[in-house]
Amino acid sequence: MGPGDSRAVLFIGLVLGGILLIGGDLAVAGALAAAQPSERSLPAASWPVPADTVLIYYRQGSSIDVSTLLPYVAYLNRNGEPQAAPFFDGFLFLSISDRKSPHWEEALFAPGQMLYALEAAAAQVAGLQADPDFRYQVYISLPELAGTTGEARAESARKFVEETRDRFAAAGFQHLQLAGYYWFDEGIRDPVNRKAAELTAAYIHSLTGREPVERSRLLLVWIPYDVGHPNRPQVQEWAAGRLPLDALWLQPNFLWADRLRGYDTQDLDETVTFALGQGASVEIEFDNGVAERGWRTARYHHYLASGKTYGYSALPLAYYEGGGGYATVARSPISALRQLYEETFAFVRDRYAPRSLILGARWLGPGSGEFEAALRLQFLSDSIIPQGLWIGRGEEPTAVTTLRLVEPDPNQTYWLILTFRAFGPDAQKAQAASGSSGNGSGSGRQAKGTITLTAKDGSEVILGTYPLDGELHTRWYMIPSSVLKRGVDDIPVGRLSYHITFSTPVELHASWARSTQWVASWDSQSAQLWAKTDPQALVAQEGALLPGVHWSEAEGKVIWSGADDSRPLLVGIQTEEGWSRVYEIAPGTLAGDGSGSLKPADLPAGSKVSTVWIHPADAPFVTTFGSEGDTAAAWRPVGVSILPGPAWKFTGKPVGTSRRIVGQGSLRVAVPGDGRPYTLRLRTTAVVKLDWKLRQQGDSAEVASGRVGGGTSEIIVPVPGGGDWELSFIGAGALLEAWLEPGKPTPAE
């Protein structure tokens, strides 16, 4: 994780191969002469390592048993039942504070723990493996090495390797394979450690493994930290073949900006660009703070969303998860937190499609365990209630006056999505007269209620109004990041909880919050994964039980739920063959709960729908730079995103909501083809000089151009029509937010 954070994790990575027991008198010097050529010069895409290796941390007194490891060995549904295996195919066991010999060896081979627990968990899910001969690859962290010279420390490593290989072979594991060892020190700048690493690598490479218990050639792998960039010279030496380690994952250290000490200047995109340029790979970083802090949740999403853009999702990856972080969210009864586990599995299976965390719950309607859990949790105080959108403490869903929005990312703009009934005086009279539940027939001029959010600086902001007609309605209200950031530091140091109040109580059926960073969308590849693995996953529920959209192949329809029933709706469809259409749906056709469907009559016969999306037709598409997945241009069906490339140079602190440019950069602007003009507005700061040009992608001809100088806070670019556009920059400045605003809506046919 970073300097001073000695990683106490047991790195077990399984690799194909066999074990050759080496006599205890074998000297390290003899291993040098017998060393095989190192594979260190191979680019990451060619490494003979697992595709996804998770770090499992041991602490003295902790239990790493079958139950602990099962969520990593296989994907578990919400009932804790294994559904697909493997999840991670590599395991690295390590420890920070408890890796002294012989305690470390005993902990590794303790009955029912660690290695034996992994074997038992693997046996439990063996029937889910497509390959009956599959074995989980195991890497073991070297212990704290004894000695004051490189030779002495290498001899200490040799003895550890010899003993653990003997014990691994004697254990008779049927589902594990010893792949190699992990060089624990995250920086190899000290000459003594450098010598020890070189001699240890030479010794390990001299060994011949005995398949299938061991990989035929054991490896020595390394995960250096990048905060402050002190290890980059060693990474470059490794790339040049002068540091004989077989695989290198560079830690971005982007997740922990609140640690300061240089963490707040780490830029994920810049670290990834450097690592890939050296032929290395990167580490995905997660911990329990991702489930507790909204800004850290967004940063974790940035790791996943940028994987496709930069290509590292196709490389072998290491996953730091803080010692039980993934298991915690796997078993969480809170949907938004459980979603983090599901998204990680989709990423591992190369089916991740970026989407925002959906915060909230259904408050009225069919009962469920989740509903009951939400009712219990909502009684907690703001200081301990989990991340999400909750009704006021102790309130009843039938008469809600307050919502609590807990730990959103203040660097993002959010949609507040509500399904409710509210009764004004006229509606109450009509209800009493008719004896009904309220049909709104009492008056054509109903009063309106007001929704207000209290910012952290104490100011109150009106989000909008709502009808008091007694009818069921779904409404979308935008909560700008500028409001969430009032009185909040770029890196929040305390918990964030915002109160949203209703001037007139509402009967609340559902309340949700989701970032505007991504439009509600569905894609066929992700849908296929969840249909096969877990139809109850959050992604699979969008458009049905959750606000969102999906495509029904059986019915030939786009189906959505939770849309605003008061405003026009855009519906986009794209097929695998490249055909695409955008339809506008008049508000009168939506049900009060926001549900609806569209059967496209002009869909070409025999075509396969690949993507569908929905968005309010009168609302802008919003992008916040420096936040959740802003570089994932390849994923956006519509909107604005950065096109990263070697011409970009990042400077300053990538904290909060900005992306600084020095040199050249560009944005992809995907405009809906709905027959109306759009205007692209960019909020900027710290502009020295920026020259910009707009052109259609694939066409070198300029459509528009301009220049902005110091003091400029906004760039306004008219976009002629639908399609993919590129806005390129030369100069220096910082981008904050982009708003792709629609022109006058086209009347519905």
Side-chain angles (χ1 to χ4, degrees):
M1 289 168 51
D5 297 311
S6 307
R7 304 178 79 142
V9 179
L10 176 57
F11 186 173
I12 300 181
L14 299 176
V15 182
L16 299 177
I19 292 181
L20 176 64
L21 302 182
I22 305 297
D25 295 329
L26 179 62
V28 173
L32 279 171
Q36 301 176 15
S38 173
E39 294 170 347
R40 65 190 180 280
S41 60
L42 290 174
S46 303
W47 290 346
V49 300
D52 301 281
T53 297
V54 64
L55 280 62
I56 304 296
Y57 279 87
Y58 166 76
R59 296 174 182 83
Q60 190 166 4
S62 63
S63 176
I64 301 179
D65 57 12
V66 173
S67 176
T68 302
L69 295 176
L70 198 57
Y72 304 84
V73 168
Y75 172 83
L76 307 184
N77 65 16
R78 294 191 175 203
N79 296 322
E81 302 162 338
Q83 300 297 302
F87 192 137
F88 297 104
D89 56 347
F91 284 75
L92 166 56
F93 287 90
L94 64 158
S95 179
I96 294 173
S97 57
D98 301 295
R99 60 185 189 96
K100 288 185 178 181
S101 293
H103 169 74
W104 179 228
E105 294 94 309
E106 296 308 315
L108 283 167
F109 292 94
Q113 298 288 312
M114 300 235 268
L115 288 172
Y116 281 101
L118 182 63
E119 168 69 13
Q124 184 174 329
V125 302
L128 299 176
Q129 303 286 4
D131 179 2
D133 297 324
F134 173 84
R135 288 178 179 245
Y136 290 89
Q137 314 253 323
V138 174
Y139 293 92
I140 298 176
S141 173
L142 293 173
E144 185 176 313
L145 302 178
T148 58
T149 67
E151 289 78 7
R153 293 179 184 179
E155 176 64 14
S156 177
R158 181 195 68 78
K159 291 179 180 179
F160 176 82
V161 170
E162 185 175 89
E163 178 179 353
T164 51
R165 290 183 72 213
D166 285 351
R167 295 182 73 166
F168 198 96
F173 297 132
Q174 300 298 305
H175 303 282
L176 311 184
Q177 184 178 61
L178 184 62
Y181 292 84
Y182 170 61
W183 186 260
F184 183 85
D185 294 322
E186 296 180 7
I188 310 181
R189 300 183 298 279
D190 174 77
V192 173
N193 278 340
R194 172 66 175 263
K195 185 67 173 178
E198 291 174 344
L199 293 174
T200 301
Y203 167 66
I204 289 175
H205 294 156
S206 74
L207 303 173
T208 301
R210 190 172 59 214
E211 297 178 313
V213 180
E214 286 185 335
R215 186 182 181 273
S216 60
R217 182 176 184 278
L218 296 177
L219 306 178
L220 183 62
V221 301
W222 190 37
I223 312 178
Y225 65 84
D226 190 52
V227 61
H229 306 165
N231 295 313
R232 290 197 176 188
Q234 283 69 47
V235 175
Q236 291 171 321
E237 284 194 84
W238 169 83
R242 295 192 294 271
L243 191 59
L245 301 168
D246 298 290
L248 188 157
W249 295 274
L250 189 60
Q251 302 174 33
N253 305 127
F254 172 70
L255 191 68
W256 300 284
D258 50 338
R259 291 186 179 182
L260 303 177
R261 293 182 297 144
Y263 285 86
D264 58 335
T265 64
Q266 283 298 110
D267 186 288
L268 174 67
D269 305 78
E270 194 274 337
T271 296
V272 167
T273 299
F274 170 78
L276 300 187
Q278 302 301 315
S281 188
V282 295
E283 178 183 71
I284 304 297
E285 292 164 323
F286 183 95
D287 65 10
N288 281 321
V290 174
E292 297 167 359
R293 297 296 178 86
W295 67 268
R296 196 176 284 187
T297 304
R299 287 195 166 213
Y300 180 65
H301 279 159
H302 193 38
Y303 284 82
L304 304 184
S306 297
K308 187 71 72 174
T309 302
Y310 289 99
Y312 61 78
S313 62
L315 299 179
L317 295 170
Y319 295 76
Y320 172 82
E321 55 87 73
Y326 286 145
T328 298
V329 294
R331 295 188 167 107
S332 175
I334 301 171
S335 294
L337 306 188
R338 164 70 190 190
Q339 185 181 346
L340 294 168
Y341 179 73
E342 297 169 358
E343 289 175 335
T344 304
F345 177 70
F347 180 83
V348 165
R349 290 298 177 96
D350 197 28
R351 289 296 181 266
Y352 174 71
R355 63 190 63 243
S356 299
L357 216 61
I358 298 181
L359 308 175
R362 290 188 173 276
W363 294 102
L364 290 179
S368 67
E370 182 178 343
F371 172 77
E372 295 301 327
L375 280 179
R376 290 193 300 271
L377 286 169
Q378 65 98 3
F379 278 85
L380 299 175
S381 69
D382 286 13
S383 62
I384 59 175
I385 197 168
Q387 182 178 4
L389 182 65
W390 309 91
I391 60 177
R393 187 177 182 185
E395 294 190 16
E396 294 295 328
T398 52
V400 174
T401 60
T402 307
L403 288 173
R404 292 178 288 173
L405 178 58
V406 180
E407 280 299 326
D409 176 13
N411 299 320
Q412 298 187 61
T413 294
Y414 281 79
W415 286 115
L416 173 65
I417 305 172
L418 307 174
T419 300
F420 62 92
R421 296 182 197 272
F423 298 87
D426 290 337
Q428 291 172 349
K429 292 177 183 177
Q431 179 184 8
S434 64
S436 69
S437 60
N439 58 16
S441 61
S443 173
R445 296 188 301 276
Q446 292 289 338
K448 291 184 178 296
T450 302
I451 301 179
T452 304
L453 181 140
T454 303
K456 298 307 291 182
D457 64 357
S459 62
E460 295 185 346
V461 179
I462 295 177
L463 301 180
T465 62
Y466 56 96
L468 305 178
D469 58 6
E471 296 287 345
L472 186 66
H473 294 286
T474 299
R475 293 287 189 270
W476 289 33
Y477 303 93
M478 188 172 284
I479 306 176
S481 63
S482 58
V483 171
L484 295 177
K485 285 182 67 65
R486 291 184 183 180
V488 176
D489 294 333
D490 282 336
I491 302 173
V493 294
R495 281 179 60 79
L496 297 178
S497 178
Y498 301 84
H499 281 204
I500 299 168
T501 57
F502 299 88
S503 60
T504 299
V506 299
E507 178 188 277
L508 195 60
H509 289 244
S511 58
W512 313 97
R514 44 156 297 183
S515 167
T516 62
Q517 191 78 9
W518 303 98
V519 303
S521 63
W522 170 98
D523 74 277
S524 58
Q525 289 189 337
S526 178
Q528 290 169 10
L529 170 70
W530 294 117
K532 179 180 179 181
T533 305
D534 186 4
Q536 300 305 310
L538 266 290
V539 175
Q541 295 299 310
E542 289 187 32
L545 298 179
L546 298 175
V549 64
H550 67 271
W551 171 256
S552 170
E553 182 70 32
E555 299 179 74
K557 288 182 178 180
V558 182
I559 300 174
W560 61 83
S561 68
D564 191 324
D565 67 318
S566 70
R567 60 206 306 180
L569 182 70
L570 291 183
V571 180
I573 303 177
Q574 185 171 343
T575 69
E576 294 177 359
E577 297 79 16
W579 180 89
S580 64
R581 288 289 187 276
V582 177
Y583 305 86
E584 184 177 332
I585 308 299
T589 63
L590 274 67
D593 63 358
S595 63
S597 65
L598 168 69
K599 188 177 181 67
D602 52 348
L603 182 69
S607 60
K608 295 290 184 180
V609 172
S610 59
T611 307
V612 297
W613 56 268
I614 60 171
H615 194 71
D618 58 343
F621 298 92
V622 181
T623 294
T624 304
F625 301 115
S627 188
E628 181 186 336
D630 58 12
T631 58
W635 287 108
R636 290 187 182 275
V638 288
V640 184
S641 55
I642 290 177
L643 291 172
W648 275 94
K649 180 181 178 184
F650 302 111
T651 65
K653 295 183 179 181
V655 174
T657 57
S658 66
R659 176 62 75 201
R660 288 139 175 99
I661 306 169
V662 174
Q664 301 180 50
S666 60
L667 302 178
R668 174 182 179 266
V669 185
V671 181
D674 55 356
R676 61 176 142 187
Y678 278 79
T679 300
L680 177 64
R681 297 179 181 271
L682 292 97
R683 282 204 307 122
T684 62
T685 187
V687 171
V688 178
K689 183 181 72 172
L690 280 175
D691 291 312
W692 60 266
K693 297 178 181 178
L694 179 69
R695 63 181 181 85
Q696 197 139 25
Q697 282 200 320
D699 189 344
S700 60
E702 292 180 20
V703 175
S705 62
R707 170 180 292 183
V708 294
T712 302
S713 60
E714 188 175 43
I715 299 173
I716 301 175
V717 181
V719 183
D724 288 338
W725 300 82
E726 184 175 344
L727 186 69
S728 60
F729 300 93
I730 297 177
L735 307 179
L736 297 176
E737 285 184 298
W739 300 69
L740 185 62
E741 297 180 341
K744 186 177 180 181
T746 303
E749 296 181 0

